[in-house]
């Protein structure tokens, strides 16, 4: 057996079939063992997967298998984030139904995932497009609505006039729709929202409890929520007509710079802007131009600053000169009050704007150790700390002290029935708009009645199912033009009414799916008892690209469900890990077309050429695997060529799991060689010790050293997996393999005693068990050779003997007259006299003493030896 190769092509399907037939990964909620919930972010069923998709699933699988071996009742499920616009696009392009396209992709991807040998409980598989799933989501929506966590209002949206749909900011490219290319318009539409902004403070505070989340993710969420402390300041409009507001309220975090203000600016969407534009065609044209510009916060911040002088002026609240009022394209309506005062000397946006329109730029914060006479902000603003100047009663104060002084001053000024200034906490986080004008999504369970207004769909009429007979031959939402689906009677008054034709944002679908997995198959989708048993997810794994929206929305969703009494936990994910990507070099032919890796080979001189033609191929830098650039490797090719275990080993080795890893032929071939080496080592151990022997009373030096190495391996790899340091665990297995190989080589030279036979079989058993979470098929084969019965997938983690983890020797540095000259290895419990005797026997000491006796030898046990010559 020791000379035979491990045959992955034959072994892997066989073991996967055995696991499946025995149902060993099916989880029972009534299992008395402690629970452990490991989950990878579920995929969108877009088509076929490549090996790059597999890294996070393999990492999660290692954790799941390890925790089972440690005695936990493990939940490790899989599902599909199945709604979304790509399915509608596919329906248009392929003239098919989105559901048919989606379920065909699910079937394909399910089989591909099964190739990876993942220990998933497929009995709990869900698809968010299944009515049983989205029906429960509709119930949750109605509970949110009843509890005041959902509402409807008019909101500005990005509108594609060709596709007749709302676009997310990310779908607007250079002001045009990503698919139609049409100039995007800003329209006001009635939209449904979740009140996530009301939870801003508790979402922030909750981040402090997530100790097993990456710091960078928590920081990203903090910044996204964007808590700031500032001041609401009321600016009186000078000589305002009676038809206009008499004041403009501004939120600012820098009240200390008020004496540097040179203008006030309104958002294009500000109510005053709309009121002025109604009587001013030029302003209307300007607002329309602003709406055709960038739509995301980043684009608005970086685009060219444009303004329109309204002709209005406001009085300075601290007695400075009056300020002109502009409408500016960089002011956001959904932050603060939609109005700002501009201090060009200390803000880059304001500086750009003032420079363009010839407005004053007056510095009011002076850097330390700078002469005011030579300080200039004409070319660029100063945005650092300092002391106030050019600011009357604030001169000489630090920035924090000046902020407090202004706040106190304006809080004591009365204007009408309120103070001019009022302290305020503001958040960047806006309410979550969930309305989408598309078919392939969860229908919003509302009926619109001209008499009663929006009316919830009655509980006994849920789920509101999507109609199957829709067409995509026209732009826009097929639900709007369906001949019958939207026409219903009002549940309240019985008169003809209309269904809501908007569907929910797919982020809603992914904000509670992990709670659905908690309930056993065939039972109610969201059960408090089941959710309380399994939540929070102990280990969640996914890409850093989901650090904000998905994770933030999920946190809000679970907190809201807790307030409604549906679950007991406040945070859905106790531990979060964001894995790196698998990258691969790219290939182009002579005409610049992308090539798949299997279309490229090396010619006799090692140059890359196109298979079949010999045409030269250009190799590009490694990039994230993507179908568009064809630098993908299908799992079927890997399984057929090297075996899935090799791919799993490769994904875990060398590179820290949070970093990107490059897929290379040399790397996968190296993994294949090491998998074969593990197989050989186990085989050689069994050949030298064919039968299990009772544990002997005593062990020799060599057998004890092997036992120590094996037990240390099990202890260290367990710790590495707990810490998700998979590459370190792999490195430890490599190091142990070298030790094991040396012992086996020595054992082959002579007769194997009982103690060594026991140690060899124990080491082989430990090795097979330790690699079982990483290369489970190989481990099963090794287990059969070693024991012949039972499954490694159901075996426990090796029992580590604590005594064997204690080193029996220690290395002590040797100093001669205070200078380090060497070291010595002695028994850990050696007496000072024994250490002194061993040190005096060393050649380096003899040479240093040159025949003389040392004055003193100072032995610090287990620390150091000092020789005074």
């Amino acid at each position: 057996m020791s000379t035979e190769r491990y045959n992955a092509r034959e072994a892997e399907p066989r073991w996967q079939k055995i696991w499946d037939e025995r149902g060993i990964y099916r989880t029972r909620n009534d299992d008395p063992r402690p629970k452990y919930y490991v989950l990878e972010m579920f995929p969108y069923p877009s088509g076929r997967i490549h090996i790059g998709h597999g890294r996070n699933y393999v990492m999660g699988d290692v954790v799941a298998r390890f925790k089972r071996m440690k005695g936990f009742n493990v939940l490790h499920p899989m599902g599909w984030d199945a709604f979304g616009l790509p399915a509608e696009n596919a329906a248009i392009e392929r003239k098919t139904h989105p559901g048919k396209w989606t379920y065909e992709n699910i079937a394909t991807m399910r089989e591909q995932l099964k190739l990876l040998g993942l220990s998933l409980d497929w009995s709990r598989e869900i698809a968010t497009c299944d009515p049983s799933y989205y029906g429960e989501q509709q119930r949750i929506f109605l509970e949110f609505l009843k509890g005041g966590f959902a509402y409807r209002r008019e909101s500005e949206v990005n509108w594609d006039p060709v596709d007749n749909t709302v676009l997310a900011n990310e779908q607007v490219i250079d002001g045009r729709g990503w698919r139609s290319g049409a100039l995007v318009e800003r329209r006001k539409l009635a939209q449904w929202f979740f009140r996530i902004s009301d939870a801003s403070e508790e979402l922030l505070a909750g981040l402090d409890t997530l100790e097993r989340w990456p710091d960078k993710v928590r920081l990203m969420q903090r910044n996204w929520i964007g808590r700031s402390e500032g001041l609401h300041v009321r600016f009186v409009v000078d000589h305002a007509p009676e038809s206009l507001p008499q004041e403009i309220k501004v939120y600012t975090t820098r009240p200390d710079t008020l004496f540097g203000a040179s203008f006030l600016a309104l958002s294009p969407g500000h109510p005053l802007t709309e009121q002025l534009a109604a009587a001013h065609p030029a302003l209307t044209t300007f607002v329309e131009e602003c709406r055709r510009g960038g739509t995301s916060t980043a684009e608005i911040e970086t685009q060219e600053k444009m303004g329109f002088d309204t002709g209005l002026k406001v009085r300075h609240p601290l007695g400075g000169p009056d300020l002109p009022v502009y409408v500016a394209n960089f002011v956001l309506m959904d932050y603060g009050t939609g109005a700002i005062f501009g201090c060009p000397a200390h803000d880059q946006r304001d500086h750009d704007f003032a420079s363009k329109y010839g407005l004053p730029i007056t510095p009011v914060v002076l850097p330390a150790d700078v002469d005011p006479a030579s300080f200039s902000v004409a070319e660029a603003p100063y945005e650092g700390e300092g002391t106030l100047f050019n600011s009357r009663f604030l001169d000489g104060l630090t920035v924090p002290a000046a902020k407090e002084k202004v706040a106190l001053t304006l809080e004591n000024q009365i204007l009408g029935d309120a103070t001019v200034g009022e302290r305020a906490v503001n958040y960047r986080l806006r309410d979550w708009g969930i309305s989408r004008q598309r078919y392939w999504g969860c229908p919003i369970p509302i009926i619109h009645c001209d008499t009663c207004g929006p009316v919830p769909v009655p509980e006994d009429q849920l789920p509101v199912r999507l109609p199957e007979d829709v067409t995509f031959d026209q732009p826009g939402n097929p639900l709007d033009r369906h001949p019958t689906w939207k026409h219903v009677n009002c549940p309240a008054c019985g008169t003809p009414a209309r269904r809501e034709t908007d569907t929910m944002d797919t982020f809603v679908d992914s904000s509670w799916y992990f709670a659905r997995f908690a309930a056993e198959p065939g039972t109610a989708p969201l059960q408090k008892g089941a959710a309380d048993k399994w939540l929070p997810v102990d280990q969640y794994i996914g890409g850093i690209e989901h650090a904000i929206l998905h994770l933030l929305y999920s946190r809000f969703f679970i907190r809201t469900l807790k307030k409604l009494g549906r679950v007991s936990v406040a945070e859905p994910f106790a531990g979060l890990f964001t894995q790196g990507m698998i990258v691969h070099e790219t290939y182009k032919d002579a005409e610049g077309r992308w090539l798949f890796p299997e279309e490229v080979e090396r010619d006799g001189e090692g140059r890359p050429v196109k298979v079949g033609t010999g045409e030269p191929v250009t190799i590009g830098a490694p990039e994230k695997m993507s179908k568009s650039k064809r630098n993908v490797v299908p799992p079927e090719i890997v399984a057929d060529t090297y075996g899935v275990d090799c791919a799993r080993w490769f994904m875990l080795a060398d590179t820290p799991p949070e970093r990107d890893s490059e897929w290379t032929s040399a790397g996968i071939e190296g993994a294949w060689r090491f998998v074969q080496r593990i197989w050989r080592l186990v085989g050689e151990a069994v050949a030298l010790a064919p039968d299990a022997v009772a544990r002997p009373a005593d062990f020799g030096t060599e057998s004890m050293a092997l036992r120590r190495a094996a037990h240390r391996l099990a202890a260290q790899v367990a710790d590495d997996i707990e810490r998700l340091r998979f590459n370190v665990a792999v490195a430890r297995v490599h190091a142990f393999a070298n030790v094991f190989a040396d012992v086996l080589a020595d054992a082959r030279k002579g007769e194997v005693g009982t103690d060594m036979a026991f140690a060899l079989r124990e080491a082989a058993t430990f090795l097979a068990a330790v690699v079982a979470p990483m290369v489970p098929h190989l481990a099963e084969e090794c287990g059969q050779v070693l024991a012949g019965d039972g499954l490694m997938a159901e075996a426990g983690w090796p029992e580590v003997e604590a005594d064997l983890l204690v080193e029996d020797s220690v290395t002590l540095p040797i100093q001669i007259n205070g200078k380090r000259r060497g070291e010595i290895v002695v028994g850990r419990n050696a007496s000072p006299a024994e250490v002194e005797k061993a040190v005096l026997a060393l050649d380096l000491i003899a040479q240093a003493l040159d025949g003389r006796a040392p004055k003193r030898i100072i032995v610090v046990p287990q620390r150091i030896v000092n020789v005074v010559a």
Side-chain angles (χ1 to χ4, degrees), residues 10-28:
E10 183 277 328
E12 291 176 349
R14 173 163 45 83
W15 287 114
Q16 289 175 15
K17 182 180 179 183
I18 292 172
W19 297 333
D20 188 53
E21 288 175 346
R22 299 192 186 183
I24 61 176
Y25 303 130
R26 182 167 295 186
T27 305
R28 297 195 334 270

PDB file of all heavy atoms in Angstrom, residues 10-28:
ATOM      1  N   GLU A  10     -11.051   8.392  -7.845  1.00  0.00           N
ATOM      2  CA  GLU A  10     -11.890   7.271  -7.417  1.00  0.00           C
ATOM      3  C   GLU A  10     -12.409   7.474  -6.000  1.00  0.00           C
ATOM      4  O   GLU A  10     -13.581   7.186  -5.705  1.00  0.00           O
ATOM      5  CB  GLU A  10     -11.075   5.965  -7.493  1.00  0.00           C
ATOM      6  CG  GLU A  10     -11.864   4.709  -7.150  1.00  0.00           C
ATOM      7  CD  GLU A  10     -11.954   4.446  -5.644  1.00  0.00           C
ATOM      8  OE1 GLU A  10     -10.984   4.812  -4.927  1.00  0.00           O
ATOM      9  OE2 GLU A  10     -12.989   3.900  -5.200  1.00  0.00           O
ATOM     10  N   ALA A  11     -11.569   8.022  -5.109  1.00  0.00           N
ATOM     11  CA  ALA A  11     -11.931   8.090  -3.692  1.00  0.00           C
ATOM     12  C   ALA A  11     -12.935   9.195  -3.386  1.00  0.00           C
ATOM     13  O   ALA A  11     -13.875   8.988  -2.602  1.00  0.00           O
ATOM     14  CB  ALA A  11     -10.668   8.297  -2.854  1.00  0.00           C
ATOM     15  N   GLU A  12     -12.764  10.368  -3.983  1.00  0.00           N
ATOM     16  CA  GLU A  12     -13.577  11.510  -3.581  1.00  0.00           C
ATOM     17  C   GLU A  12     -15.071  11.318  -3.857  1.00  0.00           C
ATOM     18  O   GLU A  12     -15.894  11.542  -2.958  1.00  0.00           O
ATOM     19  CB  GLU A  12     -13.031  12.791  -4.229  1.00  0.00           C
ATOM     20  CG  GLU A  12     -11.681  13.175  -3.627  1.00  0.00           C
ATOM     21  CD  GLU A  12     -11.015  14.363  -4.265  1.00  0.00           C
ATOM     22  OE1 GLU A  12     -11.480  14.809  -5.339  1.00  0.00           O
ATOM     23  OE2 GLU A  12     -10.024  14.854  -3.700  1.00  0.00           O
ATOM     24  N   PRO A  13     -15.475  10.887  -5.053  1.00  0.00           N
ATOM     25  CA  PRO A  13     -16.918  10.647  -5.262  1.00  0.00           C
ATOM     26  C   PRO A  13     -17.469   9.554  -4.349  1.00  0.00           C
ATOM     27  O   PRO A  13     -18.615   9.644  -3.889  1.00  0.00           O
ATOM     28  CB  PRO A  13     -17.004  10.241  -6.735  1.00  0.00           C
ATOM     29  CG  PRO A  13     -15.741  10.724  -7.365  1.00  0.00           C
ATOM     30  CD  PRO A  13     -14.699  10.664  -6.292  1.00  0.00           C
ATOM     31  N   ARG A  14     -16.643   8.557  -4.068  1.00  0.00           N
ATOM     32  CA  ARG A  14     -17.108   7.448  -3.229  1.00  0.00           C
ATOM     33  C   ARG A  14     -17.409   7.944  -1.807  1.00  0.00           C
ATOM     34  O   ARG A  14     -18.447   7.602  -1.236  1.00  0.00           O
ATOM     35  CB  ARG A  14     -16.047   6.349  -3.207  1.00  0.00           C
ATOM     36  CG  ARG A  14     -16.341   5.211  -2.224  1.00  0.00           C
ATOM     37  CD  ARG A  14     -15.488   3.984  -2.534  1.00  0.00           C
ATOM     38  NE  ARG A  14     -14.099   4.307  -2.790  1.00  0.00           N
ATOM     39  CZ  ARG A  14     -13.176   4.490  -1.839  1.00  0.00           C
ATOM     40  NH1 ARG A  14     -13.520   4.377  -0.559  1.00  0.00           N
ATOM     41  NH2 ARG A  14     -11.927   4.757  -2.153  1.00  0.00           N
ATOM     42  N   TRP A  15     -16.516   8.724  -1.250  1.00  0.00           N
ATOM     43  CA  TRP A  15     -16.736   9.204   0.114  1.00  0.00           C
ATOM     44  C   TRP A  15     -17.867  10.217   0.178  1.00  0.00           C
ATOM     45  O   TRP A  15     -18.643  10.241   1.141  1.00  0.00           O
ATOM     46  CB  TRP A  15     -15.450   9.796   0.689  1.00  0.00           C
ATOM     47  CG  TRP A  15     -14.455   8.734   1.034  1.00  0.00           C
ATOM     48  CD1 TRP A  15     -13.252   8.498   0.459  1.00  0.00           C
ATOM     49  CD2 TRP A  15     -14.628   7.712   2.018  1.00  0.00           C
ATOM     50  NE1 TRP A  15     -12.644   7.418   1.018  1.00  0.00           N
ATOM     51  CE2 TRP A  15     -13.465   6.904   1.994  1.00  0.00           C
ATOM     52  CE3 TRP A  15     -15.634   7.391   2.925  1.00  0.00           C
ATOM     53  CZ2 TRP A  15     -13.284   5.811   2.829  1.00  0.00           C
ATOM     54  CZ3 TRP A  15     -15.467   6.304   3.758  1.00  0.00           C
ATOM     55  CH2 TRP A  15     -14.301   5.523   3.711  1.00  0.00           C
ATOM     56  N   GLN A  16     -17.994  11.054  -0.838  1.00  0.00           N
ATOM     57  CA  GLN A  16     -19.096  12.012  -0.859  1.00  0.00           C
ATOM     58  C   GLN A  16     -20.436  11.283  -0.891  1.00  0.00           C
ATOM     59  O   GLN A  16     -21.400  11.701  -0.240  1.00  0.00           O
ATOM     60  CB  GLN A  16     -18.962  12.952  -2.057  1.00  0.00           C
ATOM     61  CG  GLN A  16     -17.801  13.935  -1.907  1.00  0.00           C
ATOM     62  CD  GLN A  16     -17.572  14.784  -3.133  1.00  0.00           C
ATOM     63  OE1 GLN A  16     -18.423  14.868  -4.020  1.00  0.00           O
ATOM     64  NE2 GLN A  16     -16.413  15.421  -3.221  1.00  0.00           N
ATOM     65  N   LYS A  17     -20.494  10.196  -1.624  1.00  0.00           N
ATOM     66  CA  LYS A  17     -21.721   9.402  -1.690  1.00  0.00           C
ATOM     67  C   LYS A  17     -22.026   8.777  -0.332  1.00  0.00           C
ATOM     68  O   LYS A  17     -23.177   8.767   0.130  1.00  0.00           O
ATOM     69  CB  LYS A  17     -21.587   8.316  -2.753  1.00  0.00           C
ATOM     70  CG  LYS A  17     -22.844   7.471  -2.925  1.00  0.00           C
ATOM     71  CD  LYS A  17     -22.653   6.413  -3.996  1.00  0.00           C
ATOM     72  CE  LYS A  17     -23.911   5.561  -4.141  1.00  0.00           C
ATOM     73  NZ  LYS A  17     -23.727   4.477  -5.127  1.00  0.00           N
ATOM     74  N   ILE A  18     -20.996   8.268   0.349  1.00  0.00           N
ATOM     75  CA  ILE A  18     -21.188   7.661   1.674  1.00  0.00           C
ATOM     76  C   ILE A  18     -21.678   8.702   2.666  1.00  0.00           C
ATOM     77  O   ILE A  18     -22.630   8.468   3.430  1.00  0.00           O
ATOM     78  CB  ILE A  18     -19.880   7.007   2.155  1.00  0.00           C
ATOM     79  CG1 ILE A  18     -19.557   5.773   1.285  1.00  0.00           C
ATOM     80  CG2 ILE A  18     -19.975   6.620   3.628  1.00  0.00           C
ATOM     81  CD1 ILE A  18     -18.189   5.180   1.562  1.00  0.00           C
ATOM     82  N   TRP A  19     -21.049   9.881   2.679  1.00  0.00           N
ATOM     83  CA  TRP A  19     -21.486  10.950   3.593  1.00  0.00           C
ATOM     84  C   TRP A  19     -22.946  11.305   3.346  1.00  0.00           C
ATOM     85  O   TRP A  19     -23.719  11.486   4.289  1.00  0.00           O
ATOM     86  CB  TRP A  19     -20.622  12.204   3.410  1.00  0.00           C
ATOM     87  CG  TRP A  19     -19.174  12.027   3.748  1.00  0.00           C
ATOM     88  CD1 TRP A  19     -18.641  11.139   4.630  1.00  0.00           C
ATOM     89  CD2 TRP A  19     -18.081  12.768   3.203  1.00  0.00           C
ATOM     90  NE1 TRP A  19     -17.274  11.289   4.673  1.00  0.00           N
ATOM     91  CE2 TRP A  19     -16.896  12.278   3.810  1.00  0.00           C
ATOM     92  CE3 TRP A  19     -17.970  13.789   2.265  1.00  0.00           C
ATOM     93  CZ2 TRP A  19     -15.644  12.777   3.501  1.00  0.00           C
ATOM     94  CZ3 TRP A  19     -16.716  14.308   1.955  1.00  0.00           C
ATOM     95  CH2 TRP A  19     -15.563  13.795   2.569  1.00  0.00           C
ATOM     96  N   ASP A  20     -23.292  11.410   2.068  1.00  0.00           N
ATOM     97  CA  ASP A  20     -24.646  11.804   1.708  1.00  0.00           C
ATOM     98  C   ASP A  20     -25.659  10.731   2.104  1.00  0.00           C
ATOM     99  O   ASP A  20     -26.717  11.032   2.669  1.00  0.00           O
ATOM    100  CB  ASP A  20     -24.715  12.083   0.204  1.00  0.00           C
ATOM    101  CG  ASP A  20     -26.056  12.676  -0.206  1.00  0.00           C
ATOM    102  OD1 ASP A  20     -26.463  13.679   0.393  1.00  0.00           O
ATOM    103  OD2 ASP A  20     -26.690  12.122  -1.122  1.00  0.00           O
ATOM    104  N   GLU A  21     -25.337   9.472   1.804  1.00  0.00           N
ATOM    105  CA  GLU A  21     -26.277   8.384   2.114  1.00  0.00           C
ATOM    106  C   GLU A  21     -26.509   8.239   3.611  1.00  0.00           C
ATOM    107  O   GLU A  21     -27.618   7.931   4.049  1.00  0.00           O
ATOM    108  CB  GLU A  21     -25.742   7.068   1.527  1.00  0.00           C
ATOM    109  CG  GLU A  21     -25.829   6.994   0.002  1.00  0.00           C
ATOM    110  CD  GLU A  21     -25.192   5.731  -0.547  1.00  0.00           C
ATOM    111  OE1 GLU A  21     -24.453   5.056   0.235  1.00  0.00           O
ATOM    112  OE2 GLU A  21     -25.399   5.425  -1.728  1.00  0.00           O
ATOM    113  N   ARG A  22     -25.487   8.461   4.401  1.00  0.00           N
ATOM    114  CA  ARG A  22     -25.623   8.335   5.852  1.00  0.00           C
ATOM    115  C   ARG A  22     -26.165   9.592   6.522  1.00  0.00           C
ATOM    116  O   ARG A  22     -26.492   9.571   7.715  1.00  0.00           O
ATOM    117  CB  ARG A  22     -24.274   7.950   6.470  1.00  0.00           C
ATOM    118  CG  ARG A  22     -23.745   6.613   5.963  1.00  0.00           C
ATOM    119  CD  ARG A  22     -22.588   6.145   6.811  1.00  0.00           C
ATOM    120  NE  ARG A  22     -21.968   4.938   6.262  1.00  0.00           N
ATOM    121  CZ  ARG A  22     -20.966   4.281   6.826  1.00  0.00           C
ATOM    122  NH1 ARG A  22     -20.467   4.722   7.986  1.00  0.00           N
ATOM    123  NH2 ARG A  22     -20.446   3.204   6.267  1.00  0.00           N
ATOM    124  N   GLY A  23     -26.233  10.682   5.751  1.00  0.00           N
ATOM    125  CA  GLY A  23     -26.788  11.924   6.296  1.00  0.00           C
ATOM    126  C   GLY A  23     -26.044  12.447   7.501  1.00  0.00           C
ATOM    127  O   GLY A  23     -26.650  13.010   8.425  1.00  0.00           O
ATOM    128  N   ILE A  24     -24.734  12.305   7.508  1.00  0.00           N
ATOM    129  CA  ILE A  24     -23.979  12.637   8.721  1.00  0.00           C
ATOM    130  C   ILE A  24     -23.846  14.147   8.948  1.00  0.00           C
ATOM    131  O   ILE A  24     -23.457  14.571  10.046  1.00  0.00           O
ATOM    132  CB  ILE A  24     -22.586  11.990   8.720  1.00  0.00           C
ATOM    133  CG1 ILE A  24     -21.762  12.487   7.539  1.00  0.00           C
ATOM    134  CG2 ILE A  24     -22.699  10.479   8.679  1.00  0.00           C
ATOM    135  CD1 ILE A  24     -20.341  11.956   7.558  1.00  0.00           C
ATOM    136  N   TYR A  25     -24.161  14.957   7.931  1.00  0.00           N
ATOM    137  CA  TYR A  25     -24.060  16.403   8.117  1.00  0.00           C
ATOM    138  C   TYR A  25     -25.423  17.042   8.362  1.00  0.00           C
ATOM    139  O   TYR A  25     -25.530  18.264   8.415  1.00  0.00           O
ATOM    140  CB  TYR A  25     -23.388  17.050   6.905  1.00  0.00           C
ATOM    141  CG  TYR A  25     -22.016  16.478   6.633  1.00  0.00           C
ATOM    142  CD1 TYR A  25     -21.649  16.048   5.363  1.00  0.00           C
ATOM    143  CD2 TYR A  25     -21.094  16.338   7.665  1.00  0.00           C
ATOM    144  CE1 TYR A  25     -20.396  15.508   5.126  1.00  0.00           C
ATOM    145  CE2 TYR A  25     -19.849  15.799   7.440  1.00  0.00           C
ATOM    146  CZ  TYR A  25     -19.502  15.382   6.162  1.00  0.00           C
ATOM    147  OH  TYR A  25     -18.262  14.845   5.941  1.00  0.00           O
ATOM    148  N   ARG A  26     -26.458  16.230   8.493  1.00  0.00           N
ATOM    149  CA  ARG A  26     -27.781  16.757   8.785  1.00  0.00           C
ATOM    150  C   ARG A  26     -27.852  17.109  10.270  1.00  0.00           C
ATOM    151  O   ARG A  26     -27.535  16.291  11.131  1.00  0.00           O
ATOM    152  CB  ARG A  26     -28.852  15.735   8.408  1.00  0.00           C
ATOM    153  CG  ARG A  26     -30.274  16.233   8.627  1.00  0.00           C
ATOM    154  CD  ARG A  26     -31.301  15.347   7.971  1.00  0.00           C
ATOM    155  NE  ARG A  26     -31.164  15.369   6.516  1.00  0.00           N
ATOM    156  CZ  ARG A  26     -32.009  14.773   5.682  1.00  0.00           C
ATOM    157  NH1 ARG A  26     -33.036  14.094   6.175  1.00  0.00           N
ATOM    158  NH2 ARG A  26     -31.830  14.840   4.382  1.00  0.00           N
ATOM    159  N   THR A  27     -28.285  18.308  10.565  1.00  0.00           N
ATOM    160  CA  THR A  27     -28.297  18.823  11.931  1.00  0.00           C
ATOM    161  C   THR A  27     -29.679  18.685  12.548  1.00  0.00           C
ATOM    162  O   THR A  27     -30.689  18.967  11.899  1.00  0.00           O
ATOM    163  CB  THR A  27     -27.877  20.300  11.936  1.00  0.00           C
ATOM    164  OG1 THR A  27     -26.612  20.429  11.281  1.00  0.00           O
ATOM    165  CG2 THR A  27     -27.766  20.828  13.361  1.00  0.00           C
ATOM    166  N   ARG A  28     -29.711  18.256  13.793  1.00  0.00           N
ATOM    167  CA  ARG A  28     -30.969  18.155  14.532  1.00  0.00           C
ATOM    168  C   ARG A  28     -30.983  19.216  15.630  1.00  0.00           C
ATOM    169  O   ARG A  28     -30.015  19.371  16.376  1.00  0.00           O
ATOM    170  CB  ARG A  28     -31.143  16.779  15.169  1.00  0.00           C
ATOM    171  CG  ARG A  28     -31.222  15.632  14.190  1.00  0.00           C
ATOM    172  CD  ARG A  28     -31.764  14.374  14.874  1.00  0.00           C
ATOM    173  NE  ARG A  28     -31.533  14.299  16.298  1.00  0.00           N
ATOM    174  CZ  ARG A  28     -30.456  13.741  16.867  1.00  0.00           C
ATOM    175  NH1 ARG A  28     -29.507  13.224  16.095  1.00  0.00           N
ATOM    176  NH2 ARG A  28     -30.335  13.688  18.186  1.00  0.00           N
TER     177      ARG A  28
END
